[in-house]
C-alpha cells in the first residue's frame, strides 16, 4: 500500500445539517466500491457488562462511580449493552451498507491488571467473536488499542500516564493484541486523539484521573502546567514502541497497518499582521503538532519549546523517535459533523 491514501469516513449527520434541503440520507451507494464507509465507537461508551467476563476495573469505572464526578450520576456499567448485543449492532451496521467499523479494545478485558496479571481468555473470546462476526458481514475492523481507558491497577500502582512505567504496560498490551487478533485485524490505531484526552484529563480535570490546577480547573491534585506534557511524552513514546514492535515482528506476516488518530483544529489570523500570524502558529503548535511533530520529525514544535521551556520533556538519544517511519492518522472535527478522514497509514 505504499503511497496509498485510504480515506475512511464516519459521519453523524443531523437532518438540518445535510448539504441540501431535499437530502434525507447518506447512502453507501453514493461512494465508490473501494471507499471505506464506516461507523466508530469506544469500548467504555458502548460495551457495558463492566463486571462480567472477568473484566478488571478501569480508571473510568472508578472515576464514574465517584459521587459528584459525573453531573447526572450516569456511568458506563450498562451503556449500550454492546457486550451482549453486538450481533444486533453488526446487523444494524450491515443494513446501512457499512464496510468498516472502528472500535476500541477494553484494556481491562484483555489484561485486567495490566502486565501484573494474566491474559483474560473471556475477553479474548469476546473480541474474537466480534471480529469474526464483522468479517462474515464484509465489515473491515479498525481497532483502537487505547481509547482513554486504562486498568485502574496501573493508576494505583504508579500514577498511570504520569509514569514511564506505563510504556512497558502499553507495549505489553499492544503486542498481546497483535498476537491474538492481528491475523484478521489489518488496521491498528495506537491512541485515539491523545492530545484531546490529555487536556481533559490532566489540564481541565474532566476525565480520569481528574487532575488539574488553577486557573484551568479546581481539582484536589494535579498541575495543569506540567502534567499534560509529562503524560503526553509517555504516550508518544508508547506509540513509537508499539509501532516499532508491530513492524519488526508482525507487519510482515500479518500484512496490516498501524498509526495514531489525532484531533487537529485549524485557526486563521484575525488580521494579516505579524502579531496575529504568530499567535495562530502558537495555537496550532499546541494542537495536532504537539504529537505529530515528535512522531514525524523527532521533536516538539519550536513554539511549544519557547513557551514551556523546561516544562516540556526532552527527547533523549535513548528515546529517539524514528521520524517519518512511524506514520499517523489525522482526524479533524467540523461543527457538529464528525468527519474522520485522511487517514495516512504507515507503510
Amino acid at each position: 500500500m505504499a503511497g496509498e491514501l485510504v480515506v475512511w469516513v464516519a459521519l453523524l449527520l443531523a437532518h438540518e445539517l445535510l448539504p441540501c434541503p431535499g437530502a434525507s440520507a447518506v447512502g453507501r451507494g453514493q461512494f465508490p466500491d473501494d471507499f471505506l464507509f464506516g461507523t466508530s465507537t469506544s469500548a467504555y461508551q458502548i460495551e457495558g457488562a463492566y463486571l462480567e467476563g472477568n473484566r478488571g476495573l478501569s480508571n473510568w469505572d472508578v472515576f464514574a462511580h465517584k459521587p459528584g464526578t459525573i453531573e447526572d450520576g450516569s456511568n458506563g456499567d450498562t451503556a449500550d449493552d454492546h457486550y451482549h448485543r453486538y450481533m444486533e449492532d453488526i446487523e444494524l451496521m450491515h443494513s446501512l451498507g457499512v464496510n468498516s467499523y472502528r472500535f476500541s479494545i477494553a484494556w481491562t478485558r484483555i489484561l485486567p491488571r495490566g502486565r501484573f496479571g494474566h491474559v483474560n481468555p473471556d475477553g479474548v473470546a469476546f473480541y474474537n467473536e466480534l471480529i469474526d462476526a464483522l468479517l462474515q458481514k464484509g465489515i473491515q475492523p479498525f481497532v483502537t488499542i487505547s481509547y482513554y481507558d486504562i486498568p485502574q491497577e496501573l493508576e494505583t500502582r504508579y500514577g498511570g500516564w504520569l509514569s514511564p512505567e506505563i510504556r512497558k504496560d502499553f507495549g505489553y498490551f499492544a503486542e498481546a493484541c497483535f498476537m491474538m487478533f492481528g491475523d484478521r485485524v489489518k488496521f491498528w490505531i495506537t491512541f485515539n486523539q491523545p492530545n484531546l484526552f490529555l487536556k481533559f484529563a490532566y489540564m481541565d480535570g474532566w476525565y480520569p484521573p481528574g487532575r488539574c490546577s488553577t486557573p484551568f480547573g479546581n481539582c484536589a491534585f494535579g498541575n495543569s502546567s506540567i502534567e499534560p506534557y509529562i503524560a503526553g511524552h509517555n504516550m508518544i513514546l508508547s506509540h513509537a514502541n508499539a509501532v516499532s514492535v508491530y513492524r519488526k515482528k508482525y507487519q510482515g506476516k500479518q500484512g496490516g497497518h498501524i498509526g495514531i488518530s489525532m484531533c487537529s483544529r485549524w485557526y486563521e489570523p484575525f488580521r494579516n499582521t505579524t502579531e496575529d500570524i504568530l499567535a495562530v502558529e502558537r495555537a496550532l503548535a499546541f494542537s495536532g503538532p504537539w504529537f505529530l511533530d515528535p512522531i514525524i520529525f523527532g521533536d516538539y514544535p519550536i513554539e511549544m519549546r519557547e513557551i514551556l521551556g523546561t516544562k516540556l520533556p526532552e527527547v533523549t538519544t535513548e528515546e529517539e523517535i524514528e521520524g517519518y517511519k512511524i506514520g499517523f492518522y489525522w482526524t479533524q472535527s467540523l461543527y457538529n459533523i464528525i468527519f474522520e478522514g485522511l487517514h495516512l497509514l504507515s507503510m
Side-chain angles (χ1 to χ4, degrees):
M1 288 181 59
E4 181 177 355
L5 177 65
V6 177
V7 183
W8 176 59
V9 179
L11 294 175
L12 299 180
L13 298 172
H15 179 76
E16 62 270 18
L17 292 175
L18 290 169
C20 61
S24 60
V26 175
R28 178 68 187 86
Q30 298 171 251
F31 298 89
D33 290 342
D34 59 351
F35 193 85
L36 292 172
F37 184 78
T39 57
S40 178
T41 62
S42 71
Y44 185 74
Q45 291 174 312
I46 66 160
E47 283 186 5
Y50 88 111
L51 292 179
E52 293 185 49
N54 292 309
R55 177 186 178 277
L57 286 178
S58 75
N59 56 337
W60 268 101
D61 295 319
V62 174
F63 186 76
H65 282 90
K66 191 180 298 182
T69 301
I70 309 299
E71 186 173 335
D72 64 358
S74 60
N75 55 55
D77 294 2
T78 303
D80 297 321
D81 201 24
H82 178 70
Y83 184 78
H84 298 113
R85 307 179 67 173
Y86 67 92
M87 290 299 294
E88 297 175 49
D89 294 336
I90 292 173
E91 287 295 337
L92 286 171
M93 286 187 277
H94 182 63
S95 71
L96 294 172
V98 161
N99 62 356
S100 66
Y101 171 47
R102 179 184 166 195
F103 63 94
S104 71
I105 291 179
W107 196 330
T108 49
R109 285 207 190 279
I110 303 299
L111 296 167
R113 301 180 59 216
R115 73 183 194 273
F116 304 104
H118 300 290
V119 172
N120 174 23
D122 292 341
V124 174
F126 168 70
Y127 290 111
N128 273 330
E129 291 169 7
L130 173 63
I131 291 166
D132 289 344
L134 287 168
L135 292 172
Q136 287 171 7
K137 290 294 185 179
I139 300 174
Q140 188 73 240
F142 279 67
V143 174
T144 305
I145 300 171
S146 178
Y147 202 121
Y148 304 169
D149 55 318
I150 69 172
Q152 179 61 29
E153 174 96 11
L154 310 186
E155 193 70 55
T156 302
R157 276 182 181 262
Y158 52 67
W161 289 111
L162 292 176
S163 170
E165 283 294 307
I166 201 165
R167 301 176 204 168
K168 301 176 187 176
D169 269 292
F170 183 76
Y172 187 77
F173 174 44
E175 185 161 11
C177 291
F178 301 150
M179 285 191 294
M180 293 181 292
F181 311 122
D183 59 326
R184 289 151 294 157
V185 173
K186 304 305 176 186
F187 300 96
W188 295 99
I189 301 164
T190 54
F191 294 103
N192 177 74
Q193 301 181 346
N195 53 341
L196 198 64
F197 159 73
L198 292 167
K199 180 182 186 301
F200 293 159
Y202 294 95
M203 189 174 290
D204 300 324
W206 299 343
Y207 286 5
R211 299 180 65 90
C212 67
S213 61
T214 57
F216 298 93
N218 184 26
C219 304
F221 306 97
N223 186 327
S224 299
S225 299
I226 297 176
E227 290 185 351
Y229 309 107
I230 295 173
H233 193 69
N234 287 324
M235 296 183 89
I236 289 167
L237 294 172
S238 294
H239 164 82
N241 177 56
V243 170
S244 179
V245 168
Y246 183 70
R247 286 187 170 155
K248 291 175 182 177
K249 299 176 63 175
Y250 300 96
Q251 191 172 40
K253 58 186 177 184
Q254 294 179 350
H257 312 275
I258 188 167
I260 189 169
S261 173
M262 297 302 303
C263 175
S264 186
R265 298 187 178 187
W266 187 252
Y267 302 92
E268 294 284 347
F270 185 70
R271 301 164 299 176
N272 189 25
T273 64
T274 300
E275 181 182 20
D276 284 12
I277 291 170
L278 290 175
V280 164
E281 290 177 357
R282 290 193 298 270
L284 289 173
F286 280 79
S287 184
W290 174 8
F291 270 67
L292 297 184
D293 273 26
I295 289 172
I296 298 171
F297 303 119
D299 202 0
Y300 293 102
I302 189 170
E303 294 85 358
M304 291 187 72
R305 289 234 173 262
E306 290 174 348
I307 294 170
L308 296 173
T310 57
K311 295 178 181 178
L312 193 63
E314 294 287 340
V315 179
T316 67
T317 304
E318 293 77 19
E319 298 172 343
E320 201 165 296
I321 299 173
E322 297 183 12
Y324 284 100
K325 297 181 180 179
I326 290 195
F328 64 94
Y329 288 71
W330 177 42
T331 69
Q332 181 179 19
S333 297
L334 176 63
Y335 303 109
N336 293 327
I337 300 175
I338 298 176
F339 180 104
E340 294 193 36
L342 296 180
H343 283 213
L344 304 183
L345 302 179
S346 67
M347 306 309 163

